[in-house]
């Protein structure tokens, strides 16, 4: 079943098409990776689905209801979104940030309830940031900071998690750490994850489904092991790639770009 | 164990901040006391107490008819301007957003001056007109700065442009009606000379309603500090919240301008000082700005009255002398 669906999404900016006729169904409880070259429109697509960008033609359906007819608060209780880079006040600490995830459940006169506190603690435990609760966000390493943001998103108790390049600026170990947290959230909480990625092998290893965007349109979609082929990389990214066998796991192949296609 | 430790830390820092707020409240009370005691005649605390509890006599007259209304007014104006500045800084995502710098006060100012010197028979309309002027200025700034969202730099540039434009309008009015500018000139620099209970009545409802209203929005302001996308993602109707809060800030600034004239820099220096003292969490920073705003304007007005007695400096000049170096300090520190 599709929990989030786009229907003929078109976006243009200053007379130039940014997205053309995007029709995608995102399967419930699965991880979908969106890939494509720089400037293909994938980040805009994420912004449209997140409700950030509202100047578009077509429709986004959340549980078969058009996003245009749903309040921001209601969306926030179903779907959490993490944009790429966010600047925060210098003295904001991790606990405060994570607690903001309860914002969609607050009303004017309600203070932080015991239940909220429990959810905040649960979210920090899931992402392993409990020991960082009093640290200022800006003093953390990139990986720790990203985990704190994911904890905030978890506090929204979403069924869908939208992430824009969650591993950008992270070293390889922290990239894997974030991918594993995302996989764990998907498995344990049946969370639907939709994320923009750049790493082909992350998509192959961690995603159940992939959407390739090229020149503002959907170029291919489906099982990442089938879709992300040497031929596709040549056509979409203009790179020459080779397939390597993971010696520890015979079922797993690694695709490595060895050079630019001629 | 670790969880308990973390919660204790959180509580400790909240407790610390409440102590700071208590300290700022004491500062405000002291400022009011000093303002009541100091002036052409020194009046002792006992006499002040006597006057407040119904004694009559020359000094009681001074307290009840001159110093008390003036002091209350300085507190209220300080609260309004500081609160407006604190809100605008979050809503416009700019540390330099202050009702004076970005032209909201000028909007209120030109409307007020227009009524004062062109239509003096409608002087009861000064506050509503100042409010409309402030809102129109805020609207102009948004329209000029809007291009796929609000960028901090565009806001400040649009604000400076609007402010200069309105400033030209004010100058034109003052020149065209040069025979009537006397009161308007005093109003331009801002001051509390000859203010009385009427003015207190004018501004009090705006302060009480405005401050209570914006204190309900401290969580919204905190989330807005994380940017529009995060705020939207957390379920906030960003545009609506921004319009409501800008309207509240314009109302606070306009009512302050209508009783005290174009008093600059309070809206800039007070929220920044509050932030330096208590941090950027608006649940604490906004009340701190309220208390500090009241104190700063009250103390400044007292100094302006007493420093060169019997000549009274308009407090606006004094605030600018104080404000400009602080403004430069901020520029060096933050940019």
């Amino acid at each position: 079943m599709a929990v989030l669906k786009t229907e003929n999404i078109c976006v243009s900016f200053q007379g130039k098409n940014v997205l053309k006729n995007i029709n995608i169904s995102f399967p419930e409880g699965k991880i979908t990776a969106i890939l494509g070259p720089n400037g293909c429109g994938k980040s805009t697509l994420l912004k449209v689905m997140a409700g950030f960008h509202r100047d578009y033609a077509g429709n986004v359906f959340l549980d078969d209801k058009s996003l245009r007819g749903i309040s921001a608060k209601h969306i926030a209780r179903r779907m959490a979104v993490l944009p790429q880079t966010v600047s925060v006040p210098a003295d904001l600490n991790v606990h405060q940030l994570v607690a903001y995830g309860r914002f969609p459940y607050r009303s004017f006169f309600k203070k932080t309830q015991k239940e909220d506190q429990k959810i905040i603690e649960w979210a920090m435990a899931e992402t392993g940031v409990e020991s960082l609760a009093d640290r200022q966000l800006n003093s953390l390493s990139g990986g720790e900071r990203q985990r704190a943001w994911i904890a905030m998103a978890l506090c929204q108790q979403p069924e869908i998690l939208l992430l824009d390049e969650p591993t950008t600026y992270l070293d390889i170990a922290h990239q894997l750490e974030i991918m594993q947290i995302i996989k764990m959230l998907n498995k344990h909480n049946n969370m639907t994850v939709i994320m923009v990625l750049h790493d082909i092998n992350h998509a192959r290893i961690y995603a159940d489904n992939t959407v390739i965007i090229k020149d503002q349109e959907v170029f291919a979609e489906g099982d990442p092991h089938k879709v992300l082929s040497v031929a596709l990389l040549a056509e979409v990214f203009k790179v020459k790639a080779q397939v390597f066998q993971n010696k520890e796991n015979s079922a797993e192949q690694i695709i490595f770009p060895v050079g630019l296609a001629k | 164990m670790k969880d308990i430790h973390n919660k204790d830390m959180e509580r400790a820092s909240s407790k610390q901040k409440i102590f700071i707020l208590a300290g700022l409240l004491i500062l405000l009370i002291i400022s009011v006391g000093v303002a009541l005691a100091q002036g052409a005649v020194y009046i002792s605390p006992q006499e002040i107490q006597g006057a407040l509890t119904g004694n009559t006599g020359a000094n009681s007259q001074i307290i009840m008819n001159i110093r008390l209304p003036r002091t209350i007014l300085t507190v209220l104006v300080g609260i309004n301007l500081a609160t407006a500045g604190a809100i605008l800084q979050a809503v416009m995502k700019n540390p330099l957003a202050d009702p004076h710098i970005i032209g909201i006060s000028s909007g209120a100012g030109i409307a007020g001056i227009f009524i004062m010197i062109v239509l003096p028979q409608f002087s009861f309309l000064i506050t509503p007109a100042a409010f409309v002027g402030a809102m129109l200025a805020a609207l102009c700034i948004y329209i000029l700065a809007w291009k796929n969202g609000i960028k901090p730099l565009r806001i400040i540039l649009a604000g400076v442009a609007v402010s200069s434009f309105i400033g030209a309008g004010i100058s034109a009015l003052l020149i065209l009606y040069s025979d009537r500018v006397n009161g308007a000139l005093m109003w331009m620099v801002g001051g509390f000379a000859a203010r009385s209970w009427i003015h207190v009545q004018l501004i009090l409802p705006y302060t009480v309603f405005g401050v209570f209203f914006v204190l309900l929005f401290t969580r919204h302001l905190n989330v807005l500090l994380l940017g529009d996308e995060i705020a939207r993602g957390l379920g906030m109707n960003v545009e609506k919240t921004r319009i409501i809060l800008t309207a509240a800030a314009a109302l606070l600034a306009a009512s302050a301008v209508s009783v005290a004239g174009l008093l600059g820099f309070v809206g800039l220096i007070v929220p920044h000082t509050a932030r330096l003292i208590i941090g950027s969490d608006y649940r604490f920073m906004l009340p701190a700005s309220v208390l500090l705003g009241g104190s700063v304007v009250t103390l400044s007005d007292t100094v302006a009255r007493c420093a060169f007695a019997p000549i009274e400096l308009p407090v606006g000049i004094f605030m600018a002398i104080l404000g400009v170096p602080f403004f430069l300090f901020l520029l060096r520190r933050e940019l």
Side-chain angles (χ1 to χ4, degrees), chain B residues 66-86:
Chain B
I66 301 172
R67 287 196 197 160
L68 188 60
R70 180 166 178 160
T71 305
I72 292 175
L73 204 62
T74 57
V75 171
L76 296 178
V77 165
I79 288 174
N80 280 19
L81 291 175
T83 310

Side-chain angles (χ1 to χ4, degrees), chain A residues 13 47 52 54 91 96 130, chain B residues 6 148 229 279-281:
Chain A
F13 180 67
K47 283 188 174 138
F52 295 166
R54 270 166 294 165
D91 61 338
Q96 273 173 299
E130 313 105 304
Chain B
N6 285 339
N148 297 310
E229 293 198 340
S280 63
D281 183 343

Side-chain angles (χ1 to χ4, degrees), chain B residues 69-106:
Chain B
R70 180 166 178 160
T71 305
I72 292 175
L73 204 62
T74 57
V75 171
L76 296 178
V77 165
I79 288 174
N80 280 19
L81 291 175
T83 310
I87 293 166
L88 291 174
Q89 283 167 15
V91 165
M92 296 192 160
K93 294 195 286 185
N94 197 308
L96 302 182
D98 149 85
H100 199 66
I101 293 175
I102 63 164
I104 288 185
S105 290
S106 318

Side-chain angles (χ1 to χ4, degrees), chain A residues 147-180:
Chain A
R147 282 190 280 143
W149 280 106
I150 294 175
M152 184 199 83
L154 285 187
C155 272
Q156 293 175 240
Q157 296 178 293
E159 286 149 63
I160 307 169
L161 195 55
L162 295 189
L163 305 161
D164 193 358
E165 295 182 26
T167 56
T168 314
Y169 306 124
L170 300 185
D171 65 42
I172 39 182
H174 287 115
Q175 289 183 11
L176 292 175
E177 184 185 85
I178 294 295
M179 296 309 290
Q180 274 170 9

